[in-house]
Amino acid sequence: NKSQAKEKFVRAVDDISLEINKGEIMGVVGESGSGKSTLGRSILRLLPIQSGEIIFSGANLTALLPKELREFRKKMQMIFQDPISSLNPRRIVREVVKEGLAIWPNGMSEQQIQDRVDEILESVGIDPEIAATRRAHEFSGGQCQRISIARAVALDPEILICDEPVSALDVSVQAQILNLLEEMKEKYGLTLLFISHDLSVVRNVSDRVVV
C-alpha cells in the first residue's frame, strides 16, 4: 500500500570531501561502521552514488555511462580485507593474476602477458612456477594477499584502494605486506588510498591521514 509505505534513508557516507595527490599514500581511518569501506567502493563505482562527484584524472566518474566507466576500471584496482575469499578458489593462481590482462590485453601478445604475470609474481615474492600449479587455498593468508596485490598491479593501474589489507593477517605478517605495498608504490608509480581502523598502521604507511 503506497499510502503506508515509508522510505528508508541510509547515510553510509555523508559530507565527505577529499583529494588524493598522484603518487602519495592517503590513509583513511575510522571506527568500524563509519563508512570507510563504503567510501572506497563508491570511489570505484562498485556501489551506487546518490549525490556528489568523483573526479579521476579530470573525468567525472559519476556521470559516465557503463561502457565509458569500463575503460577506467583498469586504472583503479582494489585490494580487499580477506585475501583468501577475494581469490577464486577454483582457479590456478597464475591464471587469477592473468585474468585482468586477458580482458584488457592493451595490445600485448600472449607471450608478453605471460612475461608480465611472471614479473609481477616475482615482485610480490611468489614463485611463478609454484603459482602455475597451485590454487589460492594452498597458500597462507599472507601469500594470498601478495597474490591479490599482484592481480591488482598486473593491469598497471594508477590508484589502488586498499581496504583493511592487513587486518585479517597475523601480526608477524602485517609488516611484510605493508612494506610490500610501499615497494610496489615506488616501483610502479602507484597512488594508494589506504583504509584501516588502526591509526598506528595508517600512520606508518601514509603521507596524509583523513579521519
Side-chain angles (χ1 to χ4, degrees):
N1 188 324
K2 291 185 178 180
S3 64
Q4 295 177 343
K6 293 182 179 179
E7 292 187 73
K8 294 183 179 179
F9 295 93
V10 178
R11 296 186 182 274
V13 177
D14 192 22
D15 195 24
I16 298 293
S17 179
L18 56 86
E19 183 174 334
I20 309 173
N21 299 317
K22 184 177 177 61
E24 78 170 339
I25 301 179
M26 172 174 277
V28 176
V29 66
E31 298 177 349
S32 297
S34 61
K36 303 184 303 298
S37 295
T38 299
L39 174 64
R41 287 169 169 79
S42 297
I43 290 172
L44 295 183
R45 291 295 311 277
L46 297 177
L47 293 174
I49 308 300
Q50 301 300 321
S51 63
E53 294 181 331
I54 300 167
I55 308 299
F56 177 74
S57 295
N60 182 0
L61 301 187
T62 55
L64 296 180
L65 297 172
K67 184 178 180 180
E68 296 171 322
L69 182 61
R70 186 178 184 274
E71 293 303 311
F72 281 86
R73 291 294 189 198
K74 58 191 174 188
K75 300 179 182 180
M76 307 178 295
Q77 295 293 308
M78 191 162 193
I79 299 169
F80 297 93
Q81 178 176 353
D82 187 345
I84 297 176
S85 65
S86 71
L87 300 174
N88 189 331
R90 295 185 296 274
R91 301 195 67 182
I92 297 297
V93 161
R94 200 171 190 281
E95 295 303 311
V96 170
V97 176
K98 178 185 172 183
E99 62 187 355
L101 288 170
I103 299 171
W104 290 292
N106 293 327
M108 300 171 68
S109 67
E110 180 62 27
Q111 185 58 55
Q112 288 173 321
I113 290 175
Q114 301 287 1
D115 292 344
R116 171 71 173 175
V117 171
D118 287 347
E119 174 206 332
I120 295 295
L121 284 168
E122 289 177 350
S123 69
V124 300
I126 299 293
D127 188 331
E129 292 188 7
I130 295 177
T133 60
R134 296 183 184 176
R135 292 174 171 79
H137 72 272
E138 299 179 77
F139 290 84
S140 68
Q143 288 173 319
C144 283
Q145 197 59 293
R146 289 174 181 272
I147 295 165
S148 295
I149 294 170
R151 178 181 60 181
V153 173
L155 282 170
D156 195 23
E158 295 182 27
I159 184 169
L160 288 183
I161 309 293
C162 305
D163 185 11
E164 300 270 14
V166 299
S167 63
L169 304 176
D170 292 340
V171 175
S172 59
V173 180
Q174 289 183 3
Q176 298 174 22
I177 298 301
L178 293 174
N179 289 336
L180 175 61
L181 284 170
E182 292 187 88
E183 291 171 9
M184 300 299 277
K185 168 190 169 293
E186 295 298 328
K187 183 173 183 178
Y188 295 104
L190 300 168
T191 301
L192 272 63
L193 182 69
F194 190 96
I195 297 169
S196 178
H197 67 278
D198 190 333
L199 183 56
S200 62
V201 170
V202 170
R203 278 177 172 167
N204 284 333
V205 300
S206 303
D207 298 306
R208 292 187 295 138
V209 178
V210 174
V211 179

